[in-house]
Amino acid sequence: MMRGANRSGLGLQYIFVGLTRLGATVAMGSVLVGLGVAWLASYIAGGSHTALPHLFYVPIVLAAVRFSWAGAVGSAVGAGVLAGPLLPADVAAGSDQPLGGWLLRLVIFVGIGLFVAWLARDSSESIPRAFQDAVLSGRLLQGIERGEVHVVYQPIVDMKTGRITAVEALARWTQPRHGEVSPGEFIPVAERTGAVAALDRFVLKEAVNQVQCWSTPSAPLKVSVNVSATRFAQDDLVENVEAALTRSGLPGGQLQLEITESALIHDVSSAAAQIARVRALGVRVAVDDFGAGHASLSYLDSFAIDTVKIDRSLTSRVVAEPRTARLVSGIIHLFASIDLEVVGEGIETAEDYVHMQSLGCLLGQGFYIGRPVPAEEMADKVLQSAERASSTRSQVETCSGHTAPTRSS
Ligand code: C2E
Ligand code: CA
Ligand code: CA
């Protein structure tokens, strides 16, 4: 599906990702090109025929990009000393070097260094790191095209009945050479480079198709899809969601977008507007990892959300820490009182399950309930959970092959 029409799009995106995220490298490259041009111009104008003075700028530029202001000043002074008192003659003219000329050169070195540090001021990344990010995200974009990325599903259950009411779609990437790459590794890189937009689009499309296949009118299943904080504000999100729903036929009410608090608090007014647009499609919005970050309650007023997912950093402590248990109980009841659905994440043991249930948590997710599994395995679980009739079985089994990862040979 990603082949053909999207191939050139992904290729361009790869180049774009590389260029936009290599701010420091681009700044450094521009300065080096500028120096080359400056030397050529002075050569043509009959000035110095040696490029040596200009080579002094290379370490200054590198240090300014890598170590900012301090690096710029340190390397400029170092180069200034080297090009002055330590050399018997003016590096450009080959004649004796007057003190004034040497000082002027030192000032120019420092000025250029500070200018480059200013150009690269917004780049928090080191150059090697920016390169590594660009390479990994380029591979990820190719991996999406080549069928190396697939979606696994983790059940979310009604804690009273144990019945699967929803599944969370999670991305998995298996590189042909290096095997499985952890989401903890590739998701942050994809977020830094912008490649997460393509990943989220892919997962959304796969997940809604799959869940539409598993759902029956008598047992509608919901699917939760993660949307990166960096992606949530983007204009095409609503368009993509609408297109995925239309293509799959899944009703909007069966799709839930999970966003983290950081997506909400970054720009409150545009997040509120985006939530309104998403909910106008009937799509639900969940706040993910509640309790892991700021856990601010103030946004409950500002945002029309449907669900809050309590982070496992809280859930994992309810058994051992009575105070945390009381806190979680309070959170659950507070949210329930304003008609928000609450999901307890990270339920890893039977004890966690029983405790969360006793605290009033109605929906749960975690390794004890079920680990994320490929579509084929989840089809069986959905089937068993709903105890469907044999006619439904054949429908689900047909669907289970639908999104089996299409790997390149
Ligand atoms: P998340 O959205 O909080 O997803 C739940 C993560 O917790 C998953 O890790 C899941 O495997 C793990 N988990 C579930 N139950 C338990 C449990 O009982 N104990 C423990 N220790 N862990 C549990 P995973 O799949 O490694 O994903 C990590 C994060 O990567 C996700 O955290 C989500 O933020 C991000 N992610 C995964 N897929 C996507 C995607 O398609 N798009 C975006 N934007 N982010 C994704
Ligand atoms: Ca999530
Ligand atoms: Ca979560």
Side-chain angles (χ1 to χ4, degrees):
M1 265 179 292
M2 297 298 293
R3 292 182 186 282
N6 283 349
R7 181 184 289 274
S8 58
L10 287 180
L12 281 177
Q13 192 161 3
Y14 174 34
I15 295 167
F16 179 73
V17 160
L19 284 178
T20 53
R21 291 291 152 176
L22 289 176
T25 312
V26 169
M28 184 185 69
S30 321
V31 173
L32 289 179
V33 169
L35 289 174
V37 171
W39 172 72
L40 195 65
S42 76
Y43 178 84
I44 292 168
S48 169
H49 283 204
T50 168
L52 188 61
H54 292 85
L55 291 182
F56 277 98
Y57 289 107
V58 174
I60 299 173
V61 168
L62 286 171
V65 170
R66 178 70 182 84
F67 304 108
S68 193
W69 312 104
V73 173
S75 59
V77 170
V81 168
L82 203 65
L86 292 187
L87 285 185
D90 185 311
V91 287
S95 56
D96 283 349
Q97 189 169 208
L99 183 68
W102 170 69
L103 282 177
L104 179 64
R105 172 159 292 140
L106 181 68
V107 169
I108 292 173
F109 279 170
V110 172
I112 292 276
L114 292 176
F115 178 62
V116 173
W118 176 78
L119 278 180
R121 69 197 178 284
D122 289 335
S123 173
S124 55
E125 305 276 325
S126 70
I127 301 169
R129 167 95 174 267
F131 267 121
Q132 280 169 6
D133 278 7
V135 169
L136 190 74
S137 59
R139 288 204 186 121
L140 175 65
L141 293 172
Q142 282 177 344
I144 295 172
E145 265 193 278
R146 294 174 178 169
E148 295 164 15
V149 177
H150 67 281
V151 183
V152 292
Y153 299 88
Q154 185 173 29
I156 297 170
V157 299
D158 175 330
M159 293 186 76
K160 271 198 196 122
T161 61
R163 186 170 164 186
I164 298 174
T165 60
V167 290
E168 177 171 358
L170 295 158
R172 291 291 177 270
W173 179 21
T174 314
Q175 272 201 311
R177 277 202 220 146
H178 305 104
E180 184 108 357
V181 188
S182 143
E185 190 182 336
F186 71 83
I187 300 276
V189 174
E191 283 180 340
R192 283 200 292 274
T193 59
V196 79
L199 178 73
D200 282 358
R201 262 198 309 276
F202 171 77
V203 172
L204 172 75
K205 197 168 151 189
E206 288 286 304
V208 294
N209 284 344
Q210 187 60 79
V211 169
Q212 168 64 351
C213 237
W214 287 336
S215 278
T216 60
S218 58
L221 187 69
K222 284 189 221 148
V223 62
S224 244
V225 175
N226 293 286
V227 178
S228 156
T230 53
R231 160 114 178 95
F232 186 67
Q234 287 176 6
D235 292 339
D236 63 345
L237 176 77
V238 178
E239 226 173 84
N240 288 324
V241 167
E242 197 170 12
L245 290 174
T246 309
R247 261 194 309 265
S248 65
L250 188 77
Q254 282 173 247
L255 172 63
Q256 178 158 271
L257 300 185
E258 292 192 7
I259 49 175
T260 51
E261 285 173 289
S262 52
L264 300 178
I265 55 183
H266 178 65
D267 181 349
V268 173
S269 58
S270 37
Q274 189 74 313
I275 288 176
R277 284 193 284 270
V278 167
R279 290 183 89 233
L281 301 174
V283 172
R284 300 169 63 86
V285 175
V287 172
D288 202 1
D289 304 340
F290 182 85
H294 302 284
S296 162
L297 295 180
S298 64
Y299 61 68
L300 293 176
D301 259 351
S302 320
F303 302 110
I305 51 175
D306 302 278
T307 303
V308 175
K309 298 186 77 176
I310 298 181
D311 190 65
R312 69 169 171 270
S313 56
L314 284 178
T315 316
S316 63
R317 290 191 280 139
V318 294
V319 174
E321 296 174 24
R323 201 180 137 86
T324 309
R326 286 198 297 276
L327 176 72
V328 170
S329 167
I331 291 171
I332 291 171
H333 288 100
L334 174 72
F335 289 151
S337 72
I338 51 170
D339 296 326
L340 289 182
E341 195 176 76
V342 178
V343 179
E345 290 190 299
I347 295 176
E348 291 187 341
T349 65
E351 268 185 309
D352 288 347
Y353 192 103
V354 172
H355 263 75
M356 286 300 284
Q357 203 182 359
S358 72
L359 298 178
C361 190
L362 300 180
L363 296 167
Q365 178 180 4
F367 289 170
Y368 175 72
I369 296 163
R371 286 184 179 256
V373 290
E376 313 86 78
E377 258 180 77
M378 185 48 73
D380 288 341
K381 288 180 190 286
V382 169
L383 191 69
Q384 286 158 14
S385 163
E387 294 176 338
R388 287 181 185 152
S390 57
S391 61
T392 315
R393 171 175 285 274
S394 59
Q395 183 194 341
V396 171
E397 278 169 354
T398 312
C399 289
S400 68
H402 178 77
T403 54
T406 45
R407 288 161 208 237
S408 59
S409 54

